[in-house]
Amino acid sequence: PPRGKAGRSGPSGPVRRRQVLALPPGWQAARAVRVTLDGKDLLGSPVAIATIRRVEGFVTARDGGLAGWAWSPNDPDAAPVLDIQAGNGRRLQVLAADQDEAIAHPRPLARPRGFFVPADQLAGLAGALHVRGHDGRDLYGSPLDPAAERHSVAAAAAAIARAYPVGRRREPGIAAPIILPAVPADLVGPQPPGGARRRRVAVVVPVYRGLAVTGACLDLLLASLPRWARVVVVDDASPEPELAALLDRLAARGTISLLRHASNRGFPAAANSGLRFDPDRDAVLLNSDTLVPPSWLERLREAAYADPATGTATPLSNDATILSYPSVTQVNPIPDAAATHRLDALAARVNRGQVVEIPTAVGFCTYIKRDCLAATGLLREDVFAQGYGEENDFCLRARHLGWRHVAATDVFVGHVGGQSFGAAKRFLIDRNLAILERLHPGYAALIAAFQARDPLLEARRRLDLARLRAARPATGEAVLLITHDRGGGVRRRVAEREAALREAGLRPLVLRPAGAAVGPGAGETDGGDAAFDAPWAGPGEAMAASGRGPAPLQGPRASRDEPDVPEAFCVLEAGIDAPNLRFAWPRERAALARLLTAERVGRAEVHHLIGHDHALLGLLGRLGIPYEMIVHDYALFCPRINLVGAERRYCGEPDLAGCEACIADAGSALDETIGVAALRARSAAALAGATRVIVPSADVARRIARHFPPVDPVVSPWEDDRAILAGAALPPAGPVQDGPTRGGRVCVVGAIGIEKGFEVLLALGRDAAERALPLEFVLVGHSCDDARLLATGRVLVTGPYRPDEAVALIRAQGAALALLPSIWPETWCYALSEAWAAGLEVAAFDLGAPAERIRRTGRGWLLPLGLPPAAVNQRLLDLLRTRHARPG
């Protein structure tokens, strides 16, 4: 409180006096300090002392010393003073002042300062060390013993020395102990005794912060609690008074048993307090940000007791690493209580009683049998600090004693996730995973092998199938769209077909290779831009350049009977988030056939077969599903896909020998090794089996008919050019006046690789710079090498975009015209459509569908293919002058 009056009102108004107030005794421990006048808070009171003084930081052991970072978010210019205190009372103060160390802090404008305390400065500070900021809170990662590993290996070496002493012989028949300071993660001990007697259960809920999520968790937990279970809440010195008050009320009613730590000790210590509370009960460790459904505990207990050797059981969840559903690789939506109940009810029905052995439990919700806990011991508080990895260490120790860990696939528990650690979370996870790997070498490989086998796929797939059945209408035909996973214009066109089918009252189902799900990429504009994924690649380089996986040239394809041939996978997208509708081909061909039949697929559109086994067409035939072939590029007869050969230009479509020579020099962009003759023979059979062959332009129709004479393609443009031009925005108001180009700005649209004219654009920019031409290019999109384009000083790059952003971005550049520098005969070209929709006329090479469309509409100019860069720039300057000279 103030020692004097801060102001008085007089006849002429308030009298203001500046006054420095002394803080009351004990203010360091207060969350807030009130400053009042006449019993009323002044503006700004109460002062949140705890928030102002807060220090955020992280510490880990390095070379026997301490390293980490710290900063004060509310006083970022100050270097925090850190207090290092040992259990023997000795202490040391250090300054976190190193601003030169690069720390990848996730918060924008954060100013973390590094520190390092070498081992020799810690002499006399033995055991676990607490590293605290001036707010009195431990940094994340504290407490820790930086000398623990040194002591551990020294003890192991000393034990072996005692087993083989110098100066006397070891007694015969007495085996020396085997000392492993770190135990390999994959070792499994003998089957443990006991574990069969069912016990009552204590559900242990460590709590620190988060009033809303904790309240929701406890409400659902208490509502679902069977009579043989109790709830033990451990308040780990929560900084939220409202949360502490809620726990007090629940404890006063007798609905929970409440334990409270005087200071924050971290999740492992809080969990251990709860695990010790009732030593005769099994335990469930439950995060305070979970949502449990009815009867979850009964089913989890059944899973734990299905086998006497089972030590722990863990349910599925939206956020549970290897036990996540629906996706184990992507972030899943956080369900509310109602969604949790629906998913759990499905799991209970389709996965009833099903358990799958897993290498480790996941700590958000883990049932631990008391016999396993008694044999293994508690969680390690000494190395995992605030948490992450402690349950994995526990499970591996139990595994070494012979205990099994299982996933209860008939239980689903919602999980909000990531509530406790803020910006330091990633640092703490990385540190603790490194500790886990040192304690249990091979842990990462054990988990990776489990993920590769994915024994939980079938359980997840049953859930996906159940959700798909629930969403399926009672009547109506489905249409199967078969396509690749490379994105680009094919993805965009397939999305357009999905929308059109839905509007027609049909259900589209999309079958892709089970690779990474690729959305319609920014600036990826047509069916040929699979080649953009590798802007230029020789043999075996295309896929590696794309970052999507191994090179496409994998050697001769072995027979299906050889065990070393990797299976192909495909995934069915059915309008719901169901990534587990994933089928190994040919092993699960029958399961895929059953699903297509159940979904009432009446016909199929084959947009692309790259990544698929072409025997898929045979499956359609056996099911009686007719199909249309839709042509997006030239993969039917060109392994390069886009007719751009080793010379980095349009190949001219030579004879068979010329094509074989091209592939020998330039390599294939397909996902398989197949000769040109075999490819064309296979494609001819596929085209012959189609009810129709649909192409987007007459140019494509002529090329397909030339290579496959029996085929009579149907021309069906992807878009209506007249509608695009009729609805186009007005042309830009006038020339751009800024910069060295004095108004000669040309727009290039899309994702520009070699086949899209990257080298053309690069040469144009360099020529414009060398000759000081009043010409500038702006790439709305990106390229295979933006840095080289920018280095010309005459090419600007906006970066990736979504298709719905394209027209506005093009308009925003104030360009006078657009250029399509593509050097392959494009089959459609969405970039041309977007430039027209933005009101620009377009210059392009006289090749492919763009030339056909420009010639038909008159909205642009055609340049001879192969025109030198200087001549192209001169032609662009002539067009710009002509355009600027037009009236209005």
Side-chain angles (χ1 to χ4, degrees):
R3 292 181 176 177
K5 300 295 185 182
R8 289 287 188 189
S9 295
S12 59
V15 178
R16 298 178 177 86
R17 297 189 181 93
R18 189 176 297 276
Q19 189 170 359
V20 177
L21 306 178
L23 289 166
W27 64 271
Q28 294 93 336
R31 291 193 177 94
V33 172
R34 296 183 63 197
V35 183
T36 63
L37 176 65
D38 295 336
K40 297 181 179 179
D41 283 295
L42 297 184
L43 186 65
S45 174
V47 180
I49 297 294
T51 300
I52 294 171
R53 285 172 48 80
R54 184 170 70 88
V55 174
E56 180 185 284
F58 168 77
V59 63
T60 189
R62 183 193 298 172
D63 301 327
L66 298 173
W69 55 266
W71 73 303
S72 299
N74 293 290
D75 190 7
D77 292 327
V81 177
L82 305 177
D83 185 67
I84 303 172
Q85 185 172 359
N88 58 12
R90 295 190 179 183
R91 58 199 312 163
L92 172 71
Q93 285 194 333
V94 298
L95 194 67
D98 184 1
Q99 300 185 61
D100 297 326
E101 184 175 351
I103 298 167
H105 194 287
R107 177 172 169 179
L109 305 180
R111 296 180 60 185
R113 289 166 163 79
F115 65 89
F116 177 64
V117 185
D120 56 0
Q121 291 187 23
L122 298 175
L125 279 71
L129 306 181
H130 287 270
V131 184
R132 299 185 174 104
H134 53 244
D135 58 354
R137 296 170 59 245
D138 281 78
L139 303 189
Y140 286 116
S142 167
L144 72 169
D145 182 356
E149 282 196 334
R150 294 183 178 183
H151 296 154
S152 176
V153 296
I160 295 174
R162 289 192 297 272
Y164 294 93
V166 176
R168 63 182 177 86
R169 297 179 64 183
R170 186 162 49 87
E171 295 183 24
I174 300 178
I178 299 175
I179 304 298
L180 296 174
V183 182
D186 61 346
L187 294 184
V188 180
Q191 182 166 329
R197 182 170 71 88
R198 299 196 179 209
R199 300 171 183 262
R200 295 174 299 169
V201 178
V203 182
V204 177
V205 186
V207 170
Y208 180 56
R209 58 161 54 107
L211 174 64
V213 293
T214 302
C217 170
L218 293 176
D219 285 345
L220 291 174
L221 172 58
L222 293 170
S224 68
L225 204 65
R227 55 179 177 76
W228 39 262
R230 69 186 304 176
V231 176
V232 179
V233 175
V234 184
D235 179 358
D236 195 24
S238 172
E240 300 179 4
E242 297 85 357
L243 178 55
L246 169 66
L247 300 180
D248 287 336
R249 289 195 299 272
L250 293 175
R253 294 175 195 157
T255 53
I256 66 170
S257 298
L258 178 61
L259 308 178
R260 182 163 278 143
H261 288 173
S263 60
N264 180 253
R265 295 168 55 192
F267 183 89
N272 283 346
S273 293
L275 293 173
R276 291 188 190 100
F277 182 72
D278 195 331
D280 191 50
R281 290 179 181 250
D282 288 347
V284 175
L285 278 179
L286 185 69
N287 277 19
S288 62
D289 58 355
T290 53
L291 299 171
V292 295
S295 76
W296 69 282
L297 188 53
E298 291 90 334
R299 282 173 281 141
L300 203 56
R301 190 191 197 203
E302 287 296 322
Y305 281 95
D307 186 328
T310 298
T312 72
T314 309
L316 302 179
S317 178
N318 58 288
D319 182 8
T321 60
I322 60 174
L323 300 183
S324 294
Y325 175 82
S327 175
V328 291
T329 59
Q330 306 294 322
V331 176
N332 294 310
I334 298 172
D336 58 16
T340 295
H341 292 181
R342 286 194 299 271
L343 283 171
D344 177 71
L346 282 178
R349 177 166 58 84
V350 301
N351 290 330
R352 182 183 303 275
Q354 297 292 317
V355 298
V356 175
E357 185 166 358
I358 55 179
T360 174
V362 182
F364 77 102
C365 175
T366 304
Y367 190 110
I368 307 174
K369 285 157 72 171
R370 178 58 57 171
D371 292 324
C372 174
L373 183 61
T376 307
L378 295 171
L379 305 179
R380 291 191 65 171
E381 305 173 23
D382 56 339
V383 292
F384 294 105
Q386 287 76 19
Y388 286 114
E390 70 282 345
E391 81 273 22
N392 311 86
D393 168 75
F394 171 86
C395 288
L396 291 171
R397 288 187 282 126
R399 179 184 172 93
H400 300 327
L401 294 171
W403 294 97
R404 298 173 64 230
H405 310 292
V406 300
T409 64
D410 60 352
V411 187
F412 181 91
V413 170
H415 185 203
V416 176
Q419 296 296 298
S420 301
F421 298 102
K425 174 179 178 177
R426 181 178 59 81
F427 296 90
L428 194 62
I429 291 174
D430 290 346
R431 189 203 79 160
N432 287 3
L433 284 178
I435 291 173
L436 200 59
E437 189 68 31
R438 292 175 76 88
L439 291 173
H440 306 279
Y443 169 75
L446 178 69
I447 300 302
F450 175 84
Q451 291 172 315
R453 288 188 296 110
D454 197 10
L456 286 163
L457 172 61
E458 190 56 41
R460 296 196 308 271
R461 187 157 62 191
R462 283 193 291 266
L463 271 169
D464 278 2
L465 288 169
R467 291 171 50 231
L468 182 61
R469 283 193 294 270
R472 183 189 303 150
T475 59
E477 180 182 280
V479 178
L480 182 66
L481 309 178
I482 300 172
T483 185
H484 62 41
D485 65 345
R486 294 188 178 187
V490 178
R491 179 80 177 214
R492 180 165 171 175
R493 180 57 184 162
V494 169
E496 291 170 352
R497 288 296 301 143
E498 288 183 78
L501 290 168
R502 288 193 190 96
E503 189 172 343
L506 300 170
R507 288 186 299 116
L509 304 176
V510 180
L511 189 68
R512 303 183 192 279
V518 181
E524 297 175 341
T525 51
D526 72 272
D529 49 49
F532 170 72
D533 295 324
W536 183 253
E541 295 174 348
M543 288 292 285
S546 76
R548 276 203 312 271
L553 300 183
Q554 300 164 353
R557 180 174 285 244
S559 73
R560 287 297 186 187
D561 296 329
E562 296 185 24
D564 59 342
V565 177
E567 290 182 303
F569 289 87
C570 54
V571 61
L572 189 73
E573 299 174 1
I576 63 171
D577 185 13
N580 306 292
L581 299 179
R582 179 176 179 267
F583 300 89
W585 186 276
R587 178 167 51 87
E588 295 182 310
R589 175 170 46 197
L592 176 59
R594 287 193 298 271
L595 177 57
L596 296 179
T597 301
E599 290 302 306
R600 302 189 295 273
V601 174
R603 60 186 175 89
E605 296 179 6
V606 181
H607 288 263
H608 230 296
L609 285 167
I610 283 183
H612 291 287
D613 189 320
H614 286 240
L616 180 62
L617 296 181
L619 174 64
L620 298 182
R622 283 190 291 276
L623 293 175
I625 300 174
Y627 66 88
E628 297 175 336
M629 293 286 291
I630 291 84
V631 178
H632 293 270
D633 52 41
Y634 301 107
L636 288 168
F637 61 87
C638 171
R640 293 292 302 161
I641 297 176
N642 51 37
L643 303 176
V644 174
E647 293 79 16
R648 304 191 186 206
R649 59 181 174 80
Y650 171 51
C651 66
E653 301 174 53
D655 60 14
L656 182 61
C659 288
E660 296 281 14
C662 171
I663 301 309
D665 291 340
S668 170
L670 303 177
D671 287 339
E672 58 183 321
T673 298
I674 185 171
V676 179
L679 171 66
R680 294 180 181 180
R682 186 178 69 185
S683 298
L687 292 167
T691 57
R692 290 196 306 169
V693 177
I694 300 174
V695 299
S697 68
D699 182 85
V700 180
R702 287 190 293 270
R703 295 177 198 276
I704 292 295
R706 183 163 64 248
H707 288 279
F708 304 101
V711 176
D712 184 16
V714 176
V715 178
S716 178
W718 295 166
E719 299 167 292
D720 184 344
D721 286 344
R722 289 177 299 178
I724 292 171
L725 294 172
L730 292 174
V736 178
Q737 299 297 330
D738 58 338
T741 62
R742 297 186 298 279
R745 175 171 280 193
V746 177
C747 187
V748 178
V749 182
I752 307 300
I754 294 297
E755 77 294 339
K756 291 281 194 171
F758 169 80
E759 292 183 337
V760 172
L761 181 58
L762 181 65
L764 296 180
R766 287 173 173 173
D767 177 68
E770 289 169 3
R771 296 196 290 144
L773 300 177
L775 198 59
E776 180 180 59
F777 301 88
V778 56
L779 172 55
V780 174
H782 60 125
S783 77
C784 56
D785 194 341
D786 290 345
R788 290 174 69 196
L789 294 178
L790 294 169
T792 67
R794 291 303 180 92
V795 182
L796 306 175
V797 180
T798 66
Y801 63 85
R802 298 192 311 271
D804 60 335
E805 300 173 320
V807 172
L809 279 171
I810 296 168
R811 292 275 302 160
Q813 309 313 313
L817 59 87
L819 170 69
L820 293 179
S822 184
I823 58 171
W824 78 288
E826 299 208 43
T827 56
W828 183 248
C829 190
Y830 283 110
L832 175 61
S833 307
E834 289 160 346
W836 277 347
L840 296 180
E841 294 177 291
V842 181
F845 292 119
D846 192 358
L847 183 67
E852 177 184 319
R853 297 170 69 190
I854 289 172
R855 187 173 283 112
R856 184 173 62 244
T857 61
R859 285 290 295 173
W861 309 271
L862 296 177
L863 312 175
L865 183 64
L867 197 65
V872 173
N873 275 345
Q874 186 57 54
R875 179 66 174 139
L876 293 175
L877 287 171
D878 292 343
L879 294 173
L880 288 166
R881 293 190 188 102
T882 301
R883 184 187 181 285
H884 293 158
R886 291 177 183 173

